Amino acid sequence: MSEKAPIIINDDLFLNTVSCPLKFIHITNDSLNRDTSKLYFRQRNKLHIRDAISLRFENCRHTSNSTKKAFGETTELLKEETVAITGAVIQQDKVLTRIPILVKNDKKLIIIQVHGKLRKQSEGDEIQPGIKKRSIVRYLLKAAYRLDVLKRQFPDYDVDVHLYFPNKHFKSSIDHLHLFDQASFFTRKKIKRELLELFTKVRATKAVEQIRQQIPIEQSHQYFHNESVSSAIEKIKLMIHQPHEFRGIDRHKSCKYCDFRLSRNESTEGCWRQFFSSEDINHTEKHVFELIGHGNSAESENGTFYQEEAEFSRGFDSLEKMLHQNIATIPILNRRNLQILKARDLAVPSLWIKQSMKSINDLKYPLHFLDFEAATYAIPMKKESRPYTPVYFQFSCHTLHQSGKMIHTEWLDLQDKTIHPHREFVCQLGRIPDIFEGTIMQYSPFEKQGVNRLIADFKREQKKYKKELEILEKIRTSRTDKYEHRFFDVSRIIRDYYFNEYLKDSLGLKQVLQSILKWEQSSEFSDFFDSQVNDVLFGEKGEEKGSKTFDPYKNVKDSDFSISDGSDAMNAWLSYKNGLMTDEEKSAVPEVLKKYCTLDSYALFIIFKHIKRFTGLLDSEDYILLNRNNR
């Protein structure tokens, strides 16, 4: 049996443990099964930004990805009189930090941290002590930990802290700035000048030193209130030997944002089930944080953490009272009350569709269930672009004809790194069968906004982009006079006119899809999961096929990575475009990206398919199917 690796306090473990000591147990247990050898796409893109900033420093040296190797390399590099070390690793006893860039000049050290938050020129070049902005305070706490570790190792050195942010007012004067590390020598000076303007240096030493002396209450659990960073580190050291001996730790409002609160798979229990006795609660998995709408923070601050203990809004403490309202929509407050009713095992509808849902019967075919994927990045890819200008790199469209025929069209930018995707993106959009006819179905206004944004962008050079503008204008405008639904937002009708018993805290596409799949699985309608639906959602080897969880996005994966949301997709494509992928990844990643985007557009069709068959039952009243347990 292999010996258990010693627990080392690092940046991540320190910050998480200070926010809640129970995270220490979860993180250290997880670390035994975590593969630390892989550098995932989001991390690669962050390091890419770090490397862009490192170009401003003389004698800049890069360390290995491996923390162990980087520690040895850092030790050797710090023997030089002047050096800038990217990925510097400092370790003292059981305490370790990895610093994005560490600059040494004789007996002076500078911690360089890189952050993605845009900064205005009016915010100044120094962060003052006492700042209360939550995101900035978290950056400062991370720096305070790093400063403390450095001071332990180098007590006689002066240490400053500089934070770097993208400049909100920057506009690139060259194309392909994101390929700064692959540019020719001829353009090196210009690229360096661009990057100097792109990233703003902000001095933060005094503010960091203040936080080092006393960790802000807003960033810490009461277990660490009034502690210095150094004393907090010593407390965490004791946890290594006595990990379960915590006192005074209870549920708190910050649990809402914790990844460990709920079980993440069938083999593990969530934090609350492990550590908090709930004998009087029948539904310990239903927390107030999953109640939709506002009021969750007030509930938790008052010591209410379970849905069955939450208060009803406006006195609507029964289904009958809500039905008696007889209003055109299902308000958020009513949705919240329905969740509380269900948590108390009281009557709720299994399905509730308002009369106004009949509007989907007036949509003109073909219906184009369209999904765009866009990337935003701190380093602009195109001349005249600012940081985080959206770049549309992929789409999937399922076109449904009135006959029932379905055609799937997709496109993913896999062009050379130096080719900006928008021209080809628009050209491929124009090739979707019958795209200029019928209705474009979207979830949120994102696709319509994307078309408008592209039109505005191309109009800056109308002669050059005449063909693209013609395509976009034809997509934007219906050929049928006075047809108001050229772009139809499915999220709006779900928000106003639809409820099922499995809906939780969000009306987002993925959450609504999962609730509908769960509803259909337990319904009397056995024809919903035909072979096409099963194949597209779950595939032939879909692990979730026929399961109760029904999350098709769990199957969008390769052996080494998964793509479960737009952020994952964005970072995968950015890594491809930034030249940060291996040849093996270049072969595997596109197929996973295509499957993800296909699921998004097909999810729209599934939602439509589900609600469409009930609209024929709507007349002068809502369609209400009572919960099976309350018939």
Side-chain angles (χ1 to χ4, degrees):
M1 182 180 289
S2 59
E3 197 172 312
K4 187 176 179 180
I7 295 173
I8 302 296
I9 302 169
N10 60 19
D11 310 64
D12 179 70
L13 183 58
F14 173 79
L15 288 170
N16 276 290
T17 305
V18 164
S19 69
C20 178
L22 294 178
K23 289 184 182 179
F24 177 87
I25 297 172
H26 298 297
I27 292 172
T28 53
N29 286 341
D30 267 12
S31 66
L32 300 176
N33 302 313
R34 190 184 302 166
D35 185 353
T36 57
S37 65
K38 298 183 179 69
L39 206 56
Y40 294 100
F41 300 129
R42 181 172 180 270
Q43 188 180 358
R44 292 181 208 184
N45 294 324
K46 288 175 70 176
L47 294 180
H48 191 59
I49 295 171
R50 177 204 67 183
D51 292 345
I53 291 171
S54 72
L55 292 179
R56 66 182 65 203
F57 301 108
E58 299 298 325
N59 192 25
C60 188
R61 313 285 285 279
H62 293 255
T63 61
S64 302
N65 291 333
S66 162
T67 302
K68 186 176 180 180
K69 286 184 180 179
F71 171 65
E73 293 162 352
T74 301
T75 302
E76 288 301 310
L77 288 170
L78 283 173
K79 293 177 183 178
E80 299 186 26
E81 187 172 326
T82 301
V83 67
I85 310 168
T86 64
V89 174
I90 307 296
Q91 183 171 354
Q92 200 269 342
D93 191 20
K94 295 183 184 300
V95 186
L96 175 149
T97 185
R98 185 150 201 173
I99 301 170
I101 305 172
L102 180 63
V103 179
K104 182 197 174 192
N105 190 356
D106 195 19
K107 287 282 188 178
K108 176 89 169 184
L109 294 170
I110 304 175
I111 296 169
I112 306 293
Q113 284 190 181
V114 180
H115 299 288
K117 189 177 180 66
L118 287 171
R119 191 168 178 88
K120 302 174 185 176
Q121 292 172 345
S122 59
E123 293 179 275
D125 61 0
E126 184 172 8
I127 296 173
Q128 297 298 327
I131 189 170
K132 297 296 183 183
K133 200 168 186 178
R134 185 179 179 87
S135 60
I136 299 297
V137 172
R138 184 166 176 81
Y139 301 157
L140 297 176
L141 179 57
K142 181 181 285 189
Y145 170 76
R146 289 169 168 160
L147 174 59
D148 199 87
V149 177
L150 272 178
K151 283 290 189 180
R152 288 166 182 252
Q153 189 74 4
F154 303 101
D156 299 329
Y157 280 60
D158 289 331
V159 184
D160 281 344
V161 179
H162 296 163
L163 309 185
Y164 282 80
F165 300 90
N167 177 5
K168 182 179 177 67
H169 308 285
F170 173 82
K171 184 184 287 187
S172 180
S173 66
I174 60 174
D175 283 320
H176 321 309
L177 186 57
H178 67 296
L179 299 177
F180 62 87
D181 56 343
Q182 300 168 47
S184 65
F185 180 78
F186 179 76
T187 61
R188 205 67 177 169
K189 285 186 177 179
K190 190 166 187 178
I191 284 177
K192 189 173 181 179
R193 187 166 62 247
E194 287 281 302
L195 293 173
L196 282 169
E197 292 179 14
L198 170 57
F199 294 103
T200 298
K201 181 181 83 173
V202 180
R203 291 173 286 123
T205 309
K206 293 178 182 178
V208 169
E209 189 58 58
Q210 182 190 59
I211 286 177
R212 183 181 170 226
Q213 298 306 316
Q214 185 172 7
I215 298 171
I217 290 176
E218 299 81 7
Q219 290 289 326
S220 64
H221 186 273
Q222 63 182 15
Y223 191 78
F224 292 100
H225 282 182
N226 299 316
E227 299 281 358
S228 66
V229 168
S230 187
S231 62
I233 289 173
E234 296 308 312
K235 270 193 167 185
I236 297 172
K237 280 184 178 180
L238 291 175
M239 293 179 191
I240 296 173
H241 305 291
Q242 301 171 324
H244 298 290
E245 295 186 12
F246 300 133
R247 294 181 181 177
I249 297 174
D250 201 353
R251 292 153 295 195
H252 50 99
K253 63 180 182 179
S254 295
C255 290
K256 175 180 180 179
Y257 308 102
C258 181
D259 292 336
F260 303 108
R261 174 167 54 85
L262 298 166
S263 59
R264 287 169 289 165
N265 53 59
E266 294 179 1
S267 61
T268 63
E269 282 194 336
C271 181
W272 284 17
R273 284 196 174 185
Q274 287 184 53
F275 294 106
F276 304 124
S277 174
S278 306
E279 294 177 1
D280 298 330
I281 303 298
N282 296 317
H283 298 287
T284 56
E285 76 286 0
K286 295 180 183 293
H287 304 156
V288 296
F289 305 122
E290 278 78 57
L291 287 174
I292 197 167
H294 301 292
N296 300 340
S297 295
E299 295 276 13
S300 59
E301 285 174 1
N302 292 329
T304 300
F305 293 104
Y306 294 99
Q307 292 181 17
E308 60 197 270
E309 297 180 317
E311 293 185 5
F312 290 101
S313 305
R314 298 182 183 174
F316 290 113
D317 54 359
S318 71
L319 176 59
E320 289 74 18
K321 287 184 180 180
M322 279 181 257
L323 295 177
H324 187 68
Q325 277 184 292
N326 195 28
I327 54 178
T329 63
I330 305 175
I332 290 292
L333 286 178
N334 282 11
R335 293 178 182 277
R336 181 183 180 86
N337 289 334
L338 288 168
Q339 284 181 267
I340 297 172
L341 285 172
K342 187 178 180 185
R344 296 185 182 184
D345 295 320
L346 298 173
V348 297
S350 174
L351 191 68
W352 185 355
I353 300 179
K354 302 293 291 184
Q355 296 173 55
S356 296
M357 186 68 82
K358 288 187 293 185
S359 62
I360 69 169
N361 292 330
D362 300 326
L363 298 178
K364 296 189 182 301
Y365 284 78
L367 305 181
H368 306 281
F369 299 94
L370 183 62
D371 178 72
F372 288 178
E373 295 299 330
T376 55
Y377 195 50
I379 306 176
M381 293 184 172
K382 190 178 179 184
K383 186 177 180 179
E384 299 297 313
S385 292
R386 298 186 184 277
Y388 301 115
T389 296
V391 180
Y392 301 93
F393 65 89
Q394 183 180 14
F395 70 79
S396 172
C397 184
H398 284 85
T399 299
L400 178 67
H401 292 267
Q402 198 148 19
S403 64
K405 180 182 178 182
M406 176 86 82
I407 299 173
H408 179 229
T409 313
E410 64 181 348
W411 180 79
L412 169 66
D413 173 54
L414 296 174
Q415 302 171 106
D416 182 87
K417 298 187 292 289
T418 62
I419 300 175
H420 196 272
H422 282 177
R423 291 190 86 162
E424 188 62 19
F425 180 85
V426 173
C427 182
Q428 294 294 334
L429 275 179
R431 293 175 182 169
I432 295 174
D434 302 310
I435 189 61
F436 306 126
E437 307 289 343
T439 309
I440 295 175
M441 309 288 280
Q442 57 183 0
Y443 203 88
S444 86
F446 185 71
E447 283 68 30
K448 183 177 181 180
Q449 290 170 353
V451 169
N452 289 336
R453 187 185 289 272
L454 288 167
I455 288 173
D457 187 33
F458 285 136
K459 276 188 174 179
R460 296 189 184 100
E461 298 181 77
Q462 292 195 48
K463 291 183 179 179
K464 182 177 179 181
Y465 298 112
K466 183 179 178 182
K467 176 186 173 183
E468 289 77 12
L469 283 167
E470 286 178 357
I471 292 171
L472 290 168
E473 290 288 4
K474 287 168 71 176
I475 288 174
R476 182 165 68 172
T477 307
S478 173
R479 288 187 177 179
T480 305
D481 290 341
K482 298 181 181 179
Y483 181 51
E484 61 178 317
H485 296 312
R486 175 58 177 157
F487 281 85
F488 188 83
D489 185 358
V490 177
S491 71
R492 182 183 60 78
I493 60 171
I494 292 294
R495 180 193 67 218
D496 290 342
Y497 312 134
Y498 177 84
F499 172 84
N500 79 51
E501 61 182 312
Y502 296 107
L503 284 169
K504 292 184 179 179
D505 58 325
S506 172
L507 296 178
L509 176 68
K510 295 171 181 60
Q511 291 80 6
V512 171
L513 172 68
Q514 288 181 41
S515 74
I516 286 173
L517 294 179
K518 288 178 184 178
W519 192 94
E520 289 287 354
Q521 183 194 33
S522 60
S523 76
E524 301 166 356
F525 303 96
S526 59
D527 62 330
F528 190 81
F529 293 100
D530 57 32
S531 59
Q532 184 186 50
V533 170
N534 277 327
D535 287 347
V536 177
L537 290 179
F538 307 110
E540 292 180 4
K541 299 179 181 179
E543 295 176 7
E544 300 298 321
K545 188 173 181 178
S547 80
K548 291 182 180 179
T549 55
F550 258 113
D551 183 0
Y553 290 90
K554 285 187 177 180
N555 296 311
V556 186
K557 58 187 176 184
D558 183 73
S559 57
D560 292 332
F561 62 89
S562 64
I563 294 178
S564 59
D565 57 32
S567 178
D568 290 343
M570 174 185 80
N571 279 295
W573 180 78
L574 283 172
S575 285
Y576 179 90
K577 212 66 174 176
N578 288 334
L580 305 176
M581 280 189 183
T582 64
D583 288 341
E584 185 178 356
E585 287 169 339
K586 288 178 186 176
S587 175
V589 169
E591 292 309 308
V592 184
L593 279 169
K594 288 177 183 178
K595 186 172 183 181
Y596 169 77
C597 197
T598 295
L599 266 183
D600 269 359
S601 64
Y602 198 71
L604 260 174
F605 164 70
I606 289 293
I607 294 170
F608 174 80
K609 174 184 169 88
H610 168 73
I611 59 180
K612 173 67 175 173
R613 66 179 174 192
F614 296 105
T615 58
L617 303 174
L618 292 168
D619 191 11
S620 58
E621 295 182 351
D622 299 347
Y623 178 80
I624 300 175
L625 180 64
L626 287 179
N627 188 299
R628 299 165 188 78
N629 297 326
N630 295 286
R631 285 178 178 172

